[in-house]
Amino acid sequence: MSDVKKFMYLNRRAPYGTIYAWESLEVILIGAAFDQEVSLMCMDDGVYQLVKGSDTSQSDMKNFMPTYRTLGDYGVRHMYVDKASLEARGLTQDDLIEVAWEDFETEEEVDNIVEIVDADQVAKLMAESEVVFS
Amino acid sequence: MADLHTVNKSPFEKNSLETAIRYSMAGSSILLLEDGVYGATKGTAMEGMVKDAMGDKKVYALRSDLMARAIKEDRVIDGVEIVDYAGFVDLVEANDKVQAWL
Amino acid sequence: MPIEVDGKTFETDEEGYLANINEWVPGVAGVMAAEDELELTDEHWDIINFLREYYEEYQIAPAVRVLTKAVGKKLGKDKGNSKYLYGLFPYGPGKQACRYAGLPKPTGCV
């Protein structure tokens, strides 16, 4: 595996109002088969994708928000959240889901790969990625 | 004479809510639904605008859309009335017409 | 093609997956397995029940790679490998076991 690339999925849309968030999630799940170094960047309304406690029992929609918690199992190594976007929406890390990650070969474990980053870090992380999907 | 204005877009992504507030008459009702309900949350950059609007307009938010977006009742701005679908229908009946801000 | 379990009819899609996951009863797995000429053992049920729990929690049928890892973690390393899982479900642990469990086809399966 000499050709491991750094992939970043950039999510900027709220989860339910449009189809974008769900389609992006499907692409990540399918793309996970290709053994790349994958991270997710949530900014703008994309931060709403990681808010915990969604209840669609009174809506005619599939609740796909629990699926974000499996992304660690699907090889996503980092889930970044833009600090300014979070703050503009009155949210903190406590409002967000926790996603565990584990390397089954080395048994290296990370309890939570959801990480809040500031604007400078966002720019740096995107610049370091070889492919950015949006 | 009063109208119901519906807003179904996130106030952070589109200016539908801002425009609805600006161009609705005093005494109007504004119903937030779908991604529009994000405008009903406390502590956001939009809270001030919504609170100002509530000076002479009534703001509502649809319960099922709040629930789907994990916005608990205690996170909804005080004074915003939460309605279910039946309440939505009541609002449509109580107003002269419905104007949708998409 | 719909399948019949204990006198009740269950709709399926063109690939044989249950149309409505909420209708599932254990008998569905039995009837589907019989059509594949497979007898379900406790080991099969461990995987089927695991898949249903996984779906309940995450609202997704796991890709086979993820299933293998997760089974290893939950049921022990000796079961968390594709040889063991393919031994139980020769048509592919993702597709076949998910079908028996009433789940949709796993995301990422082509």
Side-chain angles (χ1 to χ4, degrees):
Chain A
M1 293 308 293
S2 58
D3 200 24
V4 175
K5 279 197 156 64
K6 283 181 139 177
F7 280 29
M8 175 172 279
Y9 291 90
L10 177 59
N11 281 358
R12 299 182 52 235
R13 301 294 195 109
Y16 291 117
T18 60
I19 195 75
Y20 295 100
W22 168 241
E23 289 196 340
S24 166
L25 180 59
E26 277 201 308
V27 170
I28 298 170
L29 296 171
I30 293 166
F34 296 101
D35 271 326
Q36 307 291 351
E37 193 180 320
V38 174
S39 56
L40 183 71
M41 174 69 74
C42 294
M43 64 169 71
D44 297 331
D45 277 354
V47 303
Y48 286 134
Q49 293 178 24
L50 303 188
V51 170
K52 64 186 172 193
S54 169
D55 176 357
T56 53
S57 59
Q58 293 191 27
S59 310
D60 190 18
M61 302 183 289
K62 176 183 161 69
N63 184 1
F64 60 85
M65 285 166 82
T67 307
Y68 287 97
R69 287 191 290 116
T70 66
L71 289 182
D73 292 340
Y74 276 80
V76 174
R77 187 61 191 81
H78 297 282
M79 294 168 73
Y80 299 111
V81 183
D82 172 51
K83 188 163 184 266
S85 304
L86 205 58
E87 284 175 354
R89 287 160 184 77
L91 300 170
T92 66
Q93 179 122 33
D94 290 342
D95 296 307
L96 305 180
I97 54 169
E98 290 185 12
V99 182
W101 178 89
E102 183 181 351
D103 186 318
F104 283 79
E105 269 102 65
T106 64
E107 298 193 348
E108 182 192 351
E109 278 181 68
V110 180
D111 288 341
N112 189 10
I113 58 170
V114 178
E115 188 185 339
I116 297 174
V117 288
D118 65 25
D120 288 344
Q121 289 169 287
V122 172
K124 189 165 168 284
L125 288 163
M126 286 202 291
E128 283 172 0
S129 301
E130 287 154 281
V131 186
V132 177
F133 293 99
S134 47
Chain B
M1 281 289 283
D3 287 339
L4 173 65
H5 298 260
T6 64
V7 176
N8 73 339
K9 296 294 188 296
S10 162
F12 302 101
E13 188 167 303
K14 292 196 85 174
N15 62 357
S16 309
L17 176 58
E18 188 187 343
T19 312
I21 289 171
R22 187 185 306 143
Y23 297 114
S24 52
M25 304 281 286
S28 301
S29 297
I30 297 174
L31 173 65
L32 307 174
L33 65 158
E34 297 171 19
D35 284 349
V37 299
Y38 288 124
T41 35
K42 277 181 191 166
T44 76
M46 299 294 160
E47 187 179 9
M49 178 180 81
V50 175
K51 281 185 163 170
D52 286 348
M54 284 160 57
D56 59 4
K57 292 156 200 171
K58 183 90 178 113
V59 179
Y60 302 85
L62 195 62
R63 183 185 311 278
S64 56
D65 288 328
L66 288 167
M67 287 168 64
R69 287 159 186 79
I71 305 167
K72 304 272 182 293
E73 277 189 39
D74 61 357
R75 299 292 285 270
V76 174
I77 297 169
D78 297 329
V80 172
E81 191 174 326
I82 300 171
V83 295
D84 53 20
Y85 285 107
F88 186 174
V89 174
D90 291 343
L91 280 171
V92 172
E93 285 180 347
N95 285 278
D96 296 318
K97 66 176 184 293
V98 180
Q99 181 166 343
W101 298 85
L102 303 173
Chain C
M1 209 180 73
I3 59 165
E4 196 137 315
V5 181
D6 300 333
K8 192 170 178 277
T9 306
F10 293 79
E11 293 298 327
T12 62
D13 68 11
E14 68 273 19
E15 292 182 284
Y17 291 83
L18 215 58
N20 182 356
I21 176 178
N22 298 318
E23 289 182 351
W24 186 87
V25 291
V28 167
V31 169
M32 286 180 173
E35 284 178 0
D36 293 337
E37 295 182 2
L38 189 79
E39 198 169 319
L40 294 179
T41 63
D42 287 351
E43 284 74 27
H44 290 99
W45 279 108
D46 281 347
I47 305 301
I48 292 168
N49 290 329
F50 176 83
L51 280 168
R52 289 196 60 84
E53 284 166 24
Y54 193 94
Y55 192 90
E56 179 68 28
E57 183 164 3
Y58 299 116
Q59 300 295 308
I60 186 182
V64 64
R65 203 176 68 140
V66 175
L67 170 68
T68 309
K69 282 190 199 172
V71 164
K73 199 169 170 181
K74 181 90 184 287
L75 304 174
K77 276 229 153 75
D78 54 323
K79 297 183 174 176
N81 60 75
S82 41
K83 193 167 169 248
Y84 174 80
L85 292 171
Y86 272 92
L88 289 175
F89 298 99
Y91 295 104
K95 291 180 197 175
Q96 194 178 7
C98 284
R99 194 159 56 83
Y100 292 178
L103 271 47
K105 194 173 167 180
T107 306
C109 260
V110 280

